[in-house]
Amino acid sequence: MRRLFVCLCIVASLYSCKQNIEYKAYLHDPQLFSNTVHELNGVVMGNNFPPMIAARNYTYGAIAAYEVIAAGYPKKYQSLVGQVHGLTAVANPAANTPVDFELAALLAYIKVGEAVTFPEGSMQEYKDSILKLARDKGLPENIETASQTFADSMSASIIRWSKKDNYAETRSAEKYTVRDEPGRWVPTPPMYAQAAEPHWMEIRTMAIDSANQFLTPPPIPFDITDKKSKYYGQLMAIKNAIDSLTDEQKHIADFWDDNPFKLNVSGHVMFGTKKFSPSGHWMSIIGIAAKQAKSSYDETVYAYAKTSIALFDAFIQCWQVKYTYNTVRPETVINKYIDPNWRPYLQTPAFPEYTCGHSTISSAAAEALTDIYGDNFAYTDSTELEFGIQNRKFTSFRQAALENNSARFYGGIHFHPSCIVSNAVGKQVGDFINGKLKMKK
């Protein structure tokens, strides 16, 4: 009888260990965190958020997850408290509580990511499915409770901080004034939408000192009367390029289009199509890199947090320049002075031409990722496959950012010199953030 009891105890112990291994293997899989970022990406896309607002969701969510990881791995990571503007304190886990920090990081990301811009609950069904599967794999109730409690307290800290970044105030700020002046931006077809986020430069930065920290040279002077002027030459360069695009150039333009909402017009029929925004595209690239590098869960969270901060600040820097110069889009000038029926290959976004947002933020993200994974990190970007666009291969993150320069030109929405300047300034933003933030010990 005693031998039977001992055997049962051993079986029970082995079963318990198996259950612990099962739920941990599931919850501590870094791919689960990347899948969760992709889920938030889908929610953001579904709500038609422009790219800079999307970046705000990703960044606060990623910082919430990172702060949980920093609390759980204090010998490996350093809190961003005192390093990013306005973050003076965050919650700490209660003493002697069985927090699973990977689970808590995931829960904090979900809670903050969905709550920063839109009402909480958008990812509730997804969250419930994760917890149900974890319970089925043996997640103990006390660990789930402790992890959820810490995630909630950390989320409250980050959401409180996010509400002081001036986002709410910019919702009621004065709109852009449309004036038909030579060289000044006006709405473009087919949506003729009002200027997007003309006060985004007023958002509190994360790491850079201010929106105007990095000096950007003025754009090429508007001059449509002199056919020998640099401006007229760039205008014709973009028109001629679009009129004779190769299939490869079209693929490059389509791949980096990242238009969160395109209005398609065919006769009297109009319908919208959605894709990930530029910031959403880079969220996907982070996941691809983390998987290829076999990053651990905590390293994956770190990569998302650091790169998100670079994206966040790069948007603010770029928008400062955009609404300082308010430069007209090529489409507007070509339609008015050269060919009223000409259209760019891609749909023109609803904000000024100079500087290029996608080039700026792509370069900043590339610098952050290069700092994490090294240069010459070759990878295949499969982000656009779910939108019917074939993969592209890159030898490095920097090469991807440089291709983006060409993509905006091939799309007919940016002068190439604008993209070159944007890439250089984005690199400055990324370099500054790499040097300033001390995240890994």
Side-chain angles (χ1 to χ4, degrees):
M1 189 71 180
R2 178 177 172 77
R3 289 183 61 188
L4 177 60
F5 176 75
V6 170
C7 288
L8 289 173
C9 287
I10 291 172
V11 170
S13 177
L14 290 173
Y15 179 76
S16 176
C17 289
K18 181 176 181 293
Q19 291 292 84
N20 284 334
I21 292 170
E22 277 194 280
Y23 90 80
K24 284 186 178 180
Y26 171 61
L27 290 177
H28 295 196
D29 183 353
Q31 188 60 46
L32 177 63
F33 190 84
S34 292
N35 291 347
T36 302
V37 175
H38 184 272
E39 187 73 15
L40 179 62
N41 213 347
V43 173
V44 168
M45 180 178 67
N47 281 273
N48 297 335
F49 288 139
M52 70 298 295
I53 294 181
R56 184 172 180 266
N57 286 82
Y58 305 135
T59 305
Y60 282 117
I63 290 175
Y66 173 80
E67 287 299 315
V68 170
I69 291 297
Y73 297 87
K75 293 182 179 180
K76 191 173 181 180
Y77 298 100
Q78 184 169 316
S79 170
L80 288 167
V81 170
Q83 296 198 70
V84 291
H85 301 309
L87 188 61
T88 57
V90 294
N92 291 305
N96 302 317
T97 54
V99 175
D100 183 297
F101 289 97
E102 284 77 5
L103 173 57
L106 189 77
L107 296 175
Y109 182 85
I110 291 172
K111 190 175 183 69
V112 174
E114 69 174 8
V116 166
T117 302
F118 36 79
E120 293 183 69
S122 302
M123 295 180 68
Q124 186 64 48
E125 186 175 341
Y126 174 78
K127 171 189 166 182
D128 289 345
S129 69
I130 289 174
L131 290 175
K132 181 181 183 305
L133 188 53
R135 291 177 196 129
D136 291 344
K137 293 178 179 294
L139 173 63
E141 185 178 351
N142 65 327
I143 291 179
E144 179 183 338
T145 300
S147 303
Q148 183 70 72
T149 299
F150 181 44
D152 288 345
S153 58
M154 181 61 77
S155 298
S157 297
I158 301 302
I159 291 171
R160 210 164 31 240
W161 169 52
S162 76
K163 289 183 177 179
K164 296 179 181 179
D165 72 354
N166 211 39
Y167 175 78
E169 289 77 2
T170 60
R171 300 309 87 196
S172 57
E174 184 180 358
K175 296 186 183 302
Y176 176 88
T177 302
V178 176
R179 296 197 299 267
D180 189 11
E181 298 174 358
R184 182 178 171 85
W185 183 86
V186 294
T188 52
M191 292 180 66
Y192 295 97
Q194 65 182 19
E197 301 298 328
H199 296 274
W200 198 257
M201 73 292 291
E202 298 168 17
I203 299 294
R204 178 188 61 201
T205 58
M206 289 281 172
I208 64 174
D209 298 338
S210 66
N212 57 11
Q213 177 178 350
F214 302 98
L215 297 178
T216 307
I220 299 170
F222 180 81
D223 185 355
I224 195 67
T225 58
D226 183 2
K227 293 187 177 182
K228 295 182 179 179
S229 70
K230 190 174 183 180
Y231 185 88
Y232 192 89
Q234 289 300 323
L235 195 69
M236 293 309 296
I238 206 167
K239 181 183 183 302
N240 293 336
I242 304 314
D243 291 346
S244 56
L245 287 176
T246 66
D247 289 341
E248 171 69 359
Q249 289 169 339
K250 289 177 181 178
H251 183 205
I252 291 171
D254 286 331
F255 188 82
W256 292 104
D257 179 21
D258 298 327
N259 188 345
F261 185 82
K262 178 185 177 184
L263 181 63
N264 302 275
V265 180
S266 179
H268 296 292
V269 177
M270 294 187 294
F271 63 96
T273 52
K274 301 177 182 181
K275 288 191 286 189
F276 293 148
S277 69
S279 44
H281 191 142
W282 280 96
M283 288 298 104
S284 178
I285 292 172
I286 299 165
I288 291 168
K291 183 177 182 179
Q292 182 172 312
K294 295 181 171 58
S295 296
S296 63
Y297 193 103
D298 57 279
E299 290 167 343
T300 299
V301 172
Y302 159 68
Y304 277 108
K306 186 170 187 176
T307 310
S308 295
I309 291 170
L311 291 167
F312 187 99
D313 276 359
F315 269 118
I316 294 172
Q317 188 281 332
C318 180
W319 254 243
Q320 169 72 25
V321 181
K322 279 188 179 294
Y323 288 100
T324 293
Y325 294 108
N326 298 302
T327 49
V328 66
R329 288 282 182 170
E331 179 176 14
T332 302
V333 183
I334 292 172
N335 287 168
K336 185 172 183 178
Y337 296 99
I338 299 173
D339 181 357
N341 298 314
W342 185 87
R343 290 291 179 267
Y345 181 68
L346 300 180
Q347 197 164 106
T348 301
F351 33 78
E353 188 271 336
Y354 185 83
T355 50
C356 173
H358 209 330
S359 290
T360 303
I361 66 105
S362 293
S363 182
E367 290 309 306
L369 284 168
T370 298
D371 188 63
I372 296 167
Y373 293 112
D375 204 359
N376 302 316
F377 184 97
Y379 67 98
T380 298
D381 187 348
S382 57
T383 300
E384 302 299 309
L385 200 57
E386 62 186 282
F387 305 111
I389 301 169
Q390 292 302 306
N391 301 344
R392 292 194 66 80
K393 294 182 178 181
F394 301 100
T395 58
S396 68
F397 303 114
R398 288 170 175 156
Q399 193 236 334
L402 285 172
E403 184 181 90
N404 178 268
N405 285 355
S406 299
R408 307 318 267 174
F409 174 72
Y410 295 149
I413 58 180
H414 278 289
F415 298 117
H416 200 241
S418 298
C419 298
I420 293 172
V421 169
S422 304
N423 182 275
V425 178
K427 185 179 188 305
Q428 287 182 286
V429 173
D431 282 343
F432 182 85
I433 289 169
N434 287 338
K436 180 178 180 179
L437 298 183
K438 309 300 179 187
M439 299 174 73
K440 288 192 85 170
K441 292 183 178 180

